[in-house]
Amino acid sequence: MTAVDRTAGADPFAAEIGERRTRARSALGWVLIGVAVVLIGAVVTLLSSDGWREREPLDPEGAGPDGARAIVSILREQGVEVVEADRRGQALAALETPGTTLVITDPWYLSDDTILALADAADDTVVLDPSAETAALLAPGAEHSGFGDGPVEPACALPAAERAGAILPGRGFTAPSGVTGCYPVGDGHALLRSERPSPVTLIDGTELFDNAHLAAEGNAALGLGLIGTHDRVVWFVPSLADADDGEAAPQLGDLVPPWLTPAIVLLLVAGLAAAVWRGRRFGPLVAERLPVTVRGSETLEGRARLYARAADPPHAAALLRDGATERMARRLGLAATASRAEVADAAAVRVGGRAAVIRAILEDSPATDADLAEFGTRLRDLEDAVEAAVRTTSGPSAR
């Protein structure tokens, strides 16, 4: 019996409430997909934006404890133009404007020649995280002298230090001849001022001018006095790209707009959601009214032709065997899950035949179309015999 025959006695479209629930589930699925895409896009955009990416210490836009957004904001409020740079080429180009102070946060990536070239191009240079090598380069003879352990007065005649007063210093360096030292730390000073062709200041800004320490003692006043000496500041945060060649060609990420990456990710997520949506059905199958009524005999004939075209007698025989076994089990009063052996034994008792013969019929596996036709005939004869035996035993009321 076909699917059309089984549903012919019932009208699944009579209850409109079922259709409304189906449409509601479908609409809810689309809404959930849309919300998921929007949420994922928002998260990706936030994570890829400048406000969420990991920043270097003393980054001018860094809002974390080790960032420098606070002092940069104060400088801008006082009318100082702060130009951000993360490549040597950008910094050198920005320093072409006269009256500019250069701030280098961490020169670790830079070569000696690069550091000297930058310092010579600026009207005033402040190195906020100098290493011992950088200190010896810009103030020949300077060496590391320890760390500060409490508030220290300037003890020098540098105007910016005198106005700021006491600070909480970080690393200290010895002050060689010709170099001004302020804020004594161990055998040296926390601030070195070298009057090279242009003034250079060395100070541990990671312990003074980041967001976490700026408000302590006179740290903020000292930072503004050292960095805000001119109306323009180039704040240079060296990157790994400057390690070998500061004029290295821009990478692919430098050539595309910042919104491109989250847009690509959003499209990929949308494509994945569409693939999941089209790859499976949401909810159970819904009965659909066919444009025409197809008789069961036509469906049977069509499926028979498909099996014939497939040229797969064993598969067709398996379908015939399963159907016959199920029908005979039902007529013999067996469970629907009864095995072929159980059906064969029960059928042998009813028809008075040998169980081995009936089992052989059910276990046969034809290899050709002719064998399949003969197999079908034997199955039909066996079913007719079982039907006749059951009818004879039970009487007319059994049907």
Side-chain angles (χ1 to χ4, degrees):
M1 183 178 293
T2 65
V4 175
D5 294 328
R6 286 195 297 269
T7 59
D11 185 4
F13 308 97
E16 296 183 359
I17 185 172
E19 296 183 1
R20 289 198 298 271
R21 288 176 178 175
T22 300
R23 290 195 296 269
R25 285 196 299 266
S26 178
L28 180 60
W30 277 106
V31 171
L32 292 178
I33 291 176
V35 171
V37 171
V38 171
L39 290 178
I40 293 175
V43 171
V44 171
T45 301
L46 288 176
L47 293 178
S48 62
S49 64
D50 290 342
W52 286 79
R53 67 179 177 86
E54 184 178 359
R55 295 181 177 275
E56 298 291 336
L58 294 175
D59 189 286
E61 294 298 330
D66 60 350
R69 178 181 291 184
I71 189 171
V72 170
S73 298
I74 296 174
L75 287 169
R76 286 171 172 163
E77 289 175 359
Q78 293 185 351
V80 179
E81 179 187 2
V82 180
V83 179
E84 302 173 17
D86 60 2
R87 293 291 179 85
R88 186 188 73 170
Q90 296 176 353
L92 287 173
L95 291 173
E96 294 178 358
T97 301
T100 301
T101 299
L102 170 65
V103 175
I104 303 178
T105 60
D106 181 6
W108 188 86
Y109 293 117
L110 306 177
S111 65
D112 292 350
D113 293 339
T114 298
I115 295 174
L116 293 175
L118 289 167
D120 292 340
D123 294 294
D124 208 321
T125 301
V126 179
V127 183
L128 296 183
D129 190 11
S131 61
E133 293 77 10
T134 304
L137 176 67
L138 297 175
E143 297 178 354
H144 185 260
S145 66
F147 292 85
D149 57 0
V152 178
E153 296 292 337
C156 68
L158 189 65
E162 290 181 335
R163 289 192 300 268
I167 64 169
L168 295 174
R171 291 193 306 273
F173 300 93
T174 59
S177 177
V179 175
T180 301
C182 298
Y183 301 102
V185 172
D187 296 332
H189 299 82
L191 184 153
L192 297 185
R193 178 79 168 189
S194 175
E195 303 295 337
R196 303 179 69 255
S198 60
V200 175
T201 301
L202 306 175
I203 190 169
D204 187 3
T206 60
E207 296 292 333
L208 294 168
F209 307 141
D210 60 5
N211 298 331
H213 300 93
L214 186 64
E217 298 293 335
N219 294 357
L222 180 61
L224 297 176
L226 295 176
I227 300 173
T229 54
H230 297 90
D231 294 334
R232 192 168 184 270
V233 173
V234 174
W235 198 288
F236 179 32
V237 181
S239 62
L240 184 61
D242 293 300
D244 296 327
D245 184 6
E247 298 296 341
Q251 302 176 356
L252 179 61
D254 300 324
L255 301 177
V256 299
W259 53 263
L260 182 61
T261 299
I264 293 176
V265 174
L266 183 59
L267 289 176
L268 291 176
V269 172
L272 179 61
V276 172
W277 165 60
R278 297 299 297 176
R280 63 181 296 273
R281 295 183 178 94
F282 292 96
L285 294 175
V286 179
E288 182 178 359
R289 190 185 300 277
L290 297 176
V292 295
T293 300
V294 181
R295 294 195 299 271
S297 59
E298 294 181 3
T299 304
L300 177 63
E301 182 179 356
R303 295 183 65 177
R305 289 177 178 175
L306 290 176
Y307 286 133
R309 185 181 303 173
D312 189 5
H315 179 68
L319 295 177
L320 293 175
R321 182 188 303 110
D322 292 342
T325 302
E326 180 181 355
R327 290 189 294 273
M328 286 189 294
R330 185 167 57 250
R331 294 297 296 149
L332 293 169
L334 301 177
T337 58
S339 64
R340 288 196 292 270
E342 294 173 342
V343 173
D345 293 341
V349 172
R350 285 301 185 109
V351 301
R354 297 175 55 188
V357 175
I358 297 177
R359 288 186 182 184
I361 295 175
L362 294 180
E363 297 293 340
D364 189 14
S365 180
T368 64
D369 291 343
D371 294 341
L372 178 62
E374 183 180 353
F375 174 71
T377 300
R378 290 200 300 270
L379 279 180
R380 184 185 60 193
D381 294 342
L382 177 59
E383 281 195 77
D384 292 343
V386 170
E387 179 70 22
V390 171
R391 186 183 307 111
T392 301
T393 303
S394 302
S397 60
R399 297 183 60 85

